[in-house]
Amino acid sequence: GALSLLMIPAVALPLYLQRGNPDLADVPLAARLESAVANQDFDAMIAKVERHLADAPDDVQGWTVLAPAYRRLQRWNDAAAAFANIMRFGKATPETISAYGEMLVFANEGMVTAEATRAFSEALKLDPKLPKARYFQGLALKQEGKREEARAMFEQLLADAPADASWRPAVEAELMISGMVDGLEARLMADGDDLDGWQRLIRSRTVLGEMDKARAALAEARDQFKDKPDAIAALAGLAKEVGIE
């Protein structure tokens, strides 16, 4: 869970610096290191590990403690690079490959890039049930506009999930958001005299990465309000804002 994620760098970094590598025995600021966990003084610890890895880049243990530390600090590109080095110099486990893909997604503001998709696919070849890789693969499908395939993947993931899985809410939210948008569209198709509703639908479709559906909703709305210049102007402004002119 989140707590264990926060504790990993807090415990692993000082242990690695103090005992994990003999080359670091003469590191200065020993007093600061001793109180590093209590003070959450990560910058000093990370700098020391980085300095060591610059000279010994094949030290898998160093990358293993550095990767979650970068993740905690939201240094997504650095975390991705660290996980890549764990795979390069150590063993490419499905968990490590999936973590690498996840950091690429975070580095790209939530977009599942082609490189991230390849990572999740590779992780799933090694462990077809790996929840994180399945979740992001579903997200990739959704962003490609393959909404039904994404929904099926999320539903199956929930069906396989333990009741207390920490990631259940994220998957449920994806399904809920998709369901709510579909419901809004159905209501507007039945009774379309709701400019705010159409604008909400268009925004939602673009947020979900469903650009073709956003354009279709825009066309429907323009037809609905073709005799209302103010509404047409508002729709034109929204189309420009969300990039579907």
Side-chain angles (χ1 to χ4, degrees), residues 69-121:
Y70 284 147
R71 177 163 53 185
R72 173 177 176 162
L73 295 173
Q74 299 184 13
R75 290 170 59 176
W76 310 127
N77 283 308
D78 289 336
F83 281 117
N85 281 323
I86 294 171
M87 294 186 288
R88 178 183 176 190
F89 298 115
K91 185 178 179 182
T93 66
E95 291 79 11
T96 300
I97 299 169
S98 186
Y100 166 69
E102 180 184 31
M103 294 303 96
L104 291 178
V105 173
F106 290 173
N108 286 277
E109 299 179 342
M111 183 60 61
V112 186
T113 62
E115 175 67 16
T117 299
R118 282 193 293 271
F120 298 127
S121 296

Side-chain angles (χ1 to χ4, degrees), residues 16 21 23 50-60 62-63 89:
Y16 172 79
N21 195 292
D23 294 339
E50 288 173 336
R51 191 161 63 237
H52 163 68
L53 287 171
D55 296 326
D58 60 348
D59 182 359
V60 177
W63 293 115
F89 298 115

Side-chain angles (χ1 to χ4, degrees), residues 163-194:
D164 60 349
S166 61
W167 42 265
R168 278 191 75 101
V171 180
E172 289 168 345
E174 290 294 341
L175 286 170
M176 185 182 72
I177 290 167
S178 180
M180 287 173 63
V181 175
D182 288 347
L184 174 60
E185 183 176 64
R187 179 175 68 77
L188 290 169
M189 295 302 286
D191 179 10
D193 191 21
D194 178 2

Side-chain angles (χ1 to χ4, degrees), residues 3-224:
L3 180 59
S4 62
L5 176 64
L6 294 178
M7 288 303 295
I8 287 171
V11 175
L13 270 170
L15 285 179
Y16 172 79
L17 285 168
Q18 291 168 335
R19 289 184 266 161
N21 195 292
D23 294 339
L24 297 178
D26 61 347
V27 169
L29 302 177
R32 185 176 175 187
L33 258 179
E34 287 171 8
S35 60
V37 175
N39 295 338
Q40 296 194 352
D41 189 0
F42 290 102
D43 290 342
M45 292 186 285
I46 287 172
K48 291 177 177 65
V49 179
E50 288 173 336
R51 191 161 63 237
H52 163 68
L53 287 171
D55 296 326
D58 60 348
D59 182 359
V60 177
Q61 188 181 11
W63 293 115
T64 301
V65 297
L66 206 52
Y70 284 147
R71 177 163 53 185
R72 173 177 176 162
L73 295 173
Q74 299 184 13
R75 290 170 59 176
W76 310 127
N77 283 308
D78 289 336
F83 281 117
N85 281 323
I86 294 171
M87 294 186 288
R88 178 183 176 190
F89 298 115
K91 185 178 179 182
T93 66
E95 291 79 11
T96 300
I97 299 169
S98 186
Y100 166 69
E102 180 184 31
M103 294 303 96
L104 291 178
V105 173
F106 290 173
N108 286 277
E109 299 179 342
M111 183 60 61
V112 186
T113 62
E115 175 67 16
T117 299
R118 282 193 293 271
F120 298 127
S121 296
E122 188 63 32
L124 288 170
K125 287 179 188 175
L126 299 173
D127 181 358
K129 292 291 188 180
L130 191 65
K132 182 181 292 184
R134 291 169 69 190
Y135 170 77
F136 281 109
Q137 197 171 63
L139 207 57
L141 288 169
K142 189 184 78 169
Q143 291 174 357
E144 291 168 14
K146 299 175 181 176
R147 194 158 46 85
E148 293 308 314
E149 292 178 50
R151 187 198 299 272
M153 179 163 282
F154 288 138
E155 287 176 346
Q156 188 58 55
L157 182 52
L158 279 183
D160 295 342
D164 60 349
S166 61
W167 42 265
R168 278 191 75 101
V171 180
E172 289 168 345
E174 290 294 341
L175 286 170
M176 185 182 72
I177 290 167
S178 180
M180 287 173 63
V181 175
D182 288 347
L184 174 60
E185 183 176 64
R187 179 175 68 77
L188 290 169
M189 295 302 286
D191 179 10
D193 191 21
D194 178 2
L195 179 60
D196 288 341
W198 283 109
Q199 291 174 311
R200 209 159 55 246
L201 177 62
I202 293 164
R203 285 185 189 279
S204 297
R205 291 298 188 201
T206 57
V207 168
L208 291 171
E210 300 171 347
M211 307 310 284
D212 288 345
K213 290 182 180 293
R215 292 186 182 95
L218 176 63
E220 288 283 349
R222 281 174 165 162
D223 185 60
Q224 176 71 33

